[in-house]
Amino acid sequence: MQEKIKQALKQVIYPNFEKDIVSFGFVGAIEVHDNICNIKVTIPSSNNEVISKVKSDILNALGHLQFSHVNVDIMTPNIQKENNTQSPKNIAPTIKHFVMVSSGKGGVGKSTTSVNLAISLAKSGKKVGLLDADIYGPNIPRMLGLDTEPTTTKDGKKLMPLDKYGIKTISIESIYGKGQSFIWRGPIVMRVIMQLLQDVEWGELDIMIVDMPPGTGDAQLTLAQSVPVSAGINVTTPQMVAIDDGFRALDMFMKCHIPIFGIIENMSAFVCPDCKKTYEIFGKGNSQTLAQQFNTNVVAKIPLDPSIVEASDGGKPLSFFQPDSIASKIYMECAIKLIEFLENVKADNSKIQPKDNVQ
């Protein structure tokens, strides 16, 4: 009977998406007793319209099975958060705010966003760090034009971060050299990320931007369990393939209880330099739909601009070398919004005492 119920629930499409609630993994326990069906469903939205729509569609989908009654228990992010009383560790108390820049898939401009956002924050007067946590594909050194190795402190116990364009940064590539393939299992990756936090002399920072690897795996969980993350940013393109994976990234923020700052839509549109006509090459409106599902906003739309690619590949970030460009101004506006967000959520890592109860 449970298999029949699951098959029926595959007809329930999650609102504004193309996949069903079973494929998304939202369906939990299914129990049938005395012809009464009890179903638990967990969705990443607390929007009442979405909740009502999902519940109504479930009841309609199960109508042909002729249960005497169907109980649908829908769990939302707010309910999950109330049930979680465990606090993360704090292994870097000199850093006030951690901002996780993540994406569900690669190739959407996550590292470019991290670099330009970090520089914009520094230009706003903040003490900023940039941690390249994308262990398998570290691109930050190229984008910042870094070709030097970090030195150590006088006692030789810690690495000194590299200083470029007003930000402190470290990358595994700067330590091991260019072109190295890191064929490491998850536990090693987790340990490396913790070492980049603990064994680097970051000093006191207002904001640490963490450029995460694509996906929702070991690296994301390690960061969330090692320090209190003040804000999560999802970088995506308007294309539905990227939006689908962006859904997973935002769902990860919710499950790890990371406050969602918003979505940055990269490669939003291309403005022809000759005719000035705007071409929305990768689609339109999909990021806004995704934002609505998680009660957040599209905080920036970065145009598809060849100059951004040239700046990143050449190690001369747009936000530093071309501050008057349209993209640079958008990054700066986004940085100001992020500063306001961090002040409003009142998360302060430096005031949290270390805990050792995270497994």
Side-chain angles (χ1 to χ4, degrees):
M1 178 57 71
Q2 288 187 343
E3 188 59 34
K4 288 184 178 180
I5 294 172
K6 277 192 174 182
Q7 289 300 320
L9 293 178
K10 288 183 178 180
Q11 306 305 312
V12 179
I13 305 300
Y14 191 67
N16 299 312
F17 284 83
E18 298 178 357
K19 293 185 179 180
D20 61 271
I21 59 175
V22 175
S23 298
F24 270 131
F26 295 163
V27 178
I30 299 175
E31 297 179 352
V32 178
H33 184 68
D34 292 336
N35 205 35
I36 296 176
C37 180
N38 297 301
I39 299 174
K40 289 187 177 181
V41 178
T42 301
I43 63 174
S45 174
S46 56
N47 185 297
N48 289 330
E49 293 183 3
V50 174
I51 294 172
S52 298
K53 174 65 173 173
V54 171
K55 187 171 184 178
S56 174
D57 289 351
I58 289 175
L59 294 175
N60 290 334
L62 299 181
H64 71 284
L65 297 178
Q66 298 182 342
F67 291 112
S68 59
H69 189 71
V70 176
N71 296 315
V72 182
D73 184 11
I74 297 183
M75 303 286 288
T76 67
N78 289 336
I79 296 174
Q80 293 175 5
K81 191 168 184 177
E82 291 170 2
N83 291 336
N84 188 354
T85 58
Q86 191 179 64
S87 297
K89 291 180 181 178
N90 172 27
I91 65 173
T94 63
I95 301 170
K96 188 174 182 181
H97 294 294
F98 283 86
V99 177
M100 183 188 292
V101 180
S102 196
S103 65
K105 70 188 300 295
V108 296
K110 173 180 50 59
S111 296
T112 302
T113 298
S114 296
V115 166
N116 286 282
L117 185 58
I119 291 174
S120 298
L121 290 167
K123 288 165 60 177
S124 301
K126 297 298 181 181
K127 297 178 182 177
V128 182
L130 174 58
L131 173 59
D132 188 355
D134 192 349
I135 303 300
Y136 296 124
N139 300 129
I140 298 301
R142 174 179 289 279
M143 292 183 176
L144 291 178
L146 292 170
D147 55 6
T148 57
E149 296 180 4
T151 59
T152 61
T153 55
K154 291 181 179 180
D155 58 11
K157 293 182 178 180
K158 290 191 175 185
L159 288 175
M160 294 296 297
L162 300 172
D163 202 322
K164 199 72 176 286
Y165 307 128
I167 59 176
K168 293 181 178 180
T169 185
I170 201 73
S171 171
I172 197 71
E173 183 173 283
S174 298
I175 300 171
Y176 284 89
K178 292 183 179 180
Q180 294 288 335
S181 58
F182 303 105
I183 311 171
W184 295 338
R185 296 186 185 275
I188 298 179
V189 172
M190 296 165 69
R191 187 159 56 245
V192 168
I193 290 176
M194 292 184 68
Q195 288 178 329
L196 292 177
L197 289 171
Q198 289 181 299
D199 297 342
V200 175
E201 189 58 54
W202 291 107
E204 293 188 1
L205 296 177
D206 296 314
I207 303 171
M208 168 72 82
I209 297 294
V210 186
D211 182 33
M212 304 301 300
T216 57
D218 294 321
Q220 285 78 5
L221 183 59
T222 297
L223 186 69
Q225 290 184 332
S226 299
V227 295
V229 181
S230 301
I233 300 174
N234 172 236
V235 180
T236 186
T237 66
Q239 187 179 6
M240 278 307 301
V241 171
I243 294 295
D244 285 344
D245 291 334
F247 187 102
R248 298 180 180 92
L250 289 166
D251 182 55
M252 179 267 297
F253 289 152
M254 299 297 295
K255 289 179 178 177
C256 291
H257 310 299
I258 295 172
I260 299 175
F261 168 56
I263 297 170
I264 293 180
E265 182 181 270
N266 206 21
M267 310 178 203
S268 182
F270 173 71
V271 179
C272 177
D274 297 322
C275 66
K276 305 303 179 183
K277 184 176 180 180
T278 298
Y279 295 90
E280 291 160 332
I281 298 173
F282 295 107
K284 178 182 179 181
N286 296 326
S287 296
Q288 186 60 46
T289 299
L290 178 63
Q292 292 172 355
Q293 304 306 307
F294 291 87
N295 293 323
T296 188
N297 301 299
V298 178
V299 293
K301 290 187 176 183
I302 311 300
L304 180 60
D305 187 343
S307 64
I308 299 177
V309 179
E310 293 173 5
S312 297
D313 288 350
K316 295 184 176 181
L318 202 77
S319 293
F320 190 88
F321 288 92
Q322 301 178 49
D324 294 327
S325 66
I326 294 176
S328 291
K329 291 179 180 179
I330 296 174
Y331 282 124
M332 180 57 73
E333 291 173 0
C334 185
I336 294 172
K337 291 178 184 178
L338 177 58
I339 292 171
E340 293 175 351
F341 179 86
L342 294 174
E343 291 175 350
N344 290 332
V345 298
K346 300 185 185 303
D348 190 343
N349 180 38
S350 63
K351 295 180 181 178
I352 300 174
Q353 295 302 313
K355 294 180 179 290
D356 296 315
N357 60 348
V358 178
Q359 299 178 355

